[in-house]
Amino acid sequence: MTILPNEYTDRMKRILGDDYNAYEASFLLPPSRGLVINTDKITPEAFDRLFAYPTEKISYFDKGRLLMSEEKVGGDPLHAAGLYYMQDPGAMSTVAALPEIKGRVLDVAAAPGGKTVSAALSSDEVFVVANEVNFPRAKVLLQNVERLGLKNVGVTSLAPRDFAKYTPECFDLIIADLPCSGEGMFRKEQAALDAWNGNINKMNAERQKEILDDVLPALKEGGTLLYSTCTYAPEENEQIVLYLMDKYGMTLLPPRQEVTEATAPALSEDGRDLSSARRFYPFIRPGEGQFVAIMKKSGEKLYATKSIPTKLSFNEEKRVREFVERNVNGDVGVINKQGDDYYAVHPLARTLPLRFLSEGVRIGAMSGGKFLPHHNLFTAFGGRMKNKENLRLDDPRLAEYLFGLEVDAAEAQDGYVAILVEGYPLGGGKCVGGRIKNHYPKGLRTH
Ligand code: SAM
């Protein structure tokens, strides 16, 4: 049985009133787990047919599923193929609350990537800058973006204030899912409970205000801020909403009806009605605690978007394109260079003068005058590669490939080849004389 600090339970009793018993009872239920279907690769219907574990649909997010099994799914080849991203159903209620997502999106605190994934999947027209200030966490974020093969995400590892400096009034939407005291995680993360003390809420609120002050100049006039935390403390939630209203004249917007139905209204503060902001509780729907507020920046300005030229010489671009055209069906879009790597970039990425860790799909690099494809080329464009080897879930070569071994080719010709699982891209290799040399990255292999 989880022991909660008295100071915390006293406040929760004040907030929840008659619902407190239901909240306390939720600690006896197993923590919920969910997943977001990568609809860039597979339709929800096809996913439901293929996925081996029992799931239930989530009323407020069509790409979301509640996992009804406690088995670990990390080793699942469909997970390795980026067909889904594990995310708590409570956390899904944040991006799902937005009535519309468009244009340039900044996810300012993005690792490991849950909100970025949902925002990127909302439309191909959207470009998401997924930023994570903590560099090791930014690398995990990048790995997730690459595994899913998302083509409309760029990854950065900058301080929030850098966006105000380099991209002022540039973003249509900023997602600020900020570090918090994590009270909503108490059911499943003992560490959050251990770190809790009476001062933690104030400390987090100060940091949240600082991050928002730093990043808000990067939001367009009339743009939208999605503010969220996974805590219940009013200091870090409702009081932040009031701070944004009072300091910046921001207004609170209602979420989508489906999210309203699955959540409770935010508390009134200072006698002001903040019920358009929402609180997600595990006793209303399965999922961990969450707070979400959609806020609009005042003003309405239209900005012309100026495209930044690519850094490629004519000859360089010709050589990269020749490789791509030889191996991939259809166009991969604009190609740009960053360091030694070549990227297929979203048109909106080229309107942002940012130092990216990854500007889009990392398609490869030149080595000794030859173009060498990167794993990300296969995860993002593998379905369109001309040379493919498709492995069924019961094919013994699948485990061999994930382990890092060479496998026999049944259908692939000599040359670079996309390895698919049940028709969905998993990685790549190079076929020589009927054997496929394994190009699955060492860090992802099962050994
Ligand atoms: N949005 C993520 C998702 O859906 O997967 C979860 C983000 S987590 C709640 C908050 C993130 O804020 C952490 O990755 C943490 O490293 C980052 N962070 C911590 N301090 C920060 C700061 N001062 N400025 C910006 N980000 C910070």
Side-chain angles (χ1 to χ4, degrees), residues 33 106 118 134 159 221 226 236 242 266 269 277 287 299 306-307 312 322 343 372 388:
R33 291 192 306 158
L106 169 62
S118 296
N134 176 315
E221 285 186 18
L226 180 73
E236 300 178 56
L242 286 188
E269 277 283 329
K306 213 170 69 200
S307 204
L312 261 68
E322 272 168 9
Y343 285 81
L372 297 182
K388 296 184 216 181

Side-chain angles (χ1 to χ4, degrees), residues 85-87 91 94-95 107-117 131-135 137-138 141 144 158-160 175-180 207-208 210-211 214 228-230 290:
Y85 179 91
M86 295 298 294
Q87 189 180 26
T94 57
V95 175
D107 186 353
V108 70
K115 315 294 178 304
T116 283
V117 169
N131 180 67
E132 170 56 51
V133 70
N134 176 315
F135 191 67
R137 286 177 62 85
L141 169 68
N144 282 329
L158 299 169
I175 300 173
D177 182 41
L178 296 190
C180 68
R207 179 165 58 176
Q208 287 147 359
E210 198 179 303
I211 297 173
D214 282 351
S228 59
T229 69
C230 60
Q290 197 81 36

